[in-house]
Amino acid sequence: MQRLLSSLIAAAVVAALAASSSTASTSTTQAFTSNAGTQTVSANWSGYVLQDSLLAGLQFTSVTGTWTVPVANCTNAPNSSAAFWVGLGGSSDTASGLEQTGTGSDCSNGTAKYYAWYEILPAASVQVPLKVNPGDQITTSVNVNGTTVLVQIKNRTRKTTFTKALQVAAPDVSSAEWIAEAPSACSAGGRCTVLPLANFGTVTFTRAAAIASGHPGTISDPTWTNEPISLVPQSTSRFFGGLNSSSTAGATPGALSADGRSFGVSWLANATP
């Protein structure tokens, strides 16, 4: 998730990191106890990514998931941000696009703010006129049909829905994702900074499903590979992020449920490589 740089905290982070140099996105793995095996490490994403396991040319055209909007605890990080979303594309080192929609739980000067949004990278995110409160159950989806991208956000608690069809010249359909993210703030010149991750406790994604080349399935479907990702802010790998923030807060996903449709992502105060 990228947004135009406007808040005081974002400006402060950029200033503090101005002397740092941006590095190319690279993939690394590291063991985490909350999920057996190894996980890809990212400076801004945590969750699960689906990709083509057999290089069969799979095209992911649909993704959906449900979660309850978590409370942003602003006590120790009065200026921080967290985004929760489902999306298509954007997970490879060479990706140039990403279609996503979800919710945000932010802290600004110690005050929490909650909202819904969508984003078609490389454009900035767009907040939508759909009221969101902590505790609301949200279902979002992204569907691609040719050059039409349909994003939808349902607030099941308030019984409200936002739907928008967008025209995209070349949507990225190489992957599908369910992600908790430390968003990036970007200047008008395109310089981006990964913001400190807000303390959201644990968010649980449920009802997760995707369609690739006409085949529907859950995260654990053997038609594709599922890759768990942990957010470690000082790592060099990131997805559509920018300079790393000085925060140590990160996140890690738990194991998949037996049916492959659910998992949790837990906030960590000190996530170090």
Side-chain angles (χ1 to χ4, degrees):
M1 178 184 181
Q2 295 181 352
R3 57 195 185 209
L4 290 178
L5 189 63
S6 59
S7 68
L8 292 176
I9 179 59
V13 172
V14 169
L17 298 174
S20 301
S21 59
S22 179
T23 58
S25 176
T26 58
S27 295
T28 59
T29 58
Q30 178 176 337
F32 283 81
T33 57
S34 63
N35 189 308
T38 58
Q39 297 184 22
T40 293
V41 173
S42 164
N44 59 333
W45 284 16
S46 181
Y48 277 83
V49 173
L50 304 185
Q51 293 179 317
D52 189 349
S53 60
L54 301 176
L55 301 179
L58 288 179
Q59 293 189 334
F60 291 88
T61 56
S62 180
V63 62
T64 184
T66 297
W67 62 91
T68 297
V69 177
V71 174
N73 185 338
C74 305
T75 302
N76 296 319
N79 294 288
S80 52
S81 182
F84 313 95
W85 53 269
V86 304
L88 296 173
S91 67
S92 71
D93 292 344
T94 58
S96 59
L98 169 61
E99 307 88 48
Q100 53 185 164
T101 187
T103 62
S105 300
D106 294 355
C107 295
S108 178
N109 296 321
T111 300
K113 174 187 176 183
Y114 305 92
Y115 54 93
W117 56 274
Y118 71 85
E119 184 173 26
I120 309 296
L121 285 170
S125 63
V126 178
Q127 290 193 28
V128 305
L130 189 77
K131 190 171 183 178
V132 171
N133 290 315
D136 288 355
Q137 187 181 60
I138 303 295
T139 296
T140 67
S141 62
V142 178
N143 292 277
V144 172
N145 183 4
T147 58
T148 301
V149 176
L150 185 71
V151 297
Q152 185 174 83
I153 308 171
K154 292 183 179 180
N155 188 326
R156 294 182 175 274
T157 302
R158 298 178 60 85
K159 297 179 173 56
T160 54
T161 301
F162 172 86
T163 304
K164 189 172 182 66
L166 303 120
Q167 293 301 309
V168 180
D172 188 341
V173 292
S174 61
S175 61
E177 301 90 23
W178 298 261
I179 298 295
E181 180 182 359
S184 295
C186 300
S187 68
R191 185 178 179 84
C192 296
T193 300
V194 178
L195 299 173
L197 181 66
N199 181 354
F200 58 85
T202 297
V203 63
T204 300
F205 289 88
T206 63
R207 303 180 185 178
I211 298 175
S213 298
H215 175 84
T218 66
I219 297 175
S220 59
D221 192 298
T223 304
W224 42 67
T225 58
N226 67 78
E227 184 177 22
I229 298 173
S230 277
L231 193 163
V232 179
Q234 300 308 312
S235 66
T236 59
S237 178
R238 56 188 171 271
F239 300 93
F240 285 100
L243 298 171
N244 297 335
S245 78
S246 58
S247 171
T248 62
T252 188
L256 292 171
S257 60
D259 63 3
R261 300 196 70 185
S262 305
F263 67 94
V265 178
S266 296
W267 182 87
L268 301 172
N270 293 288
T272 58

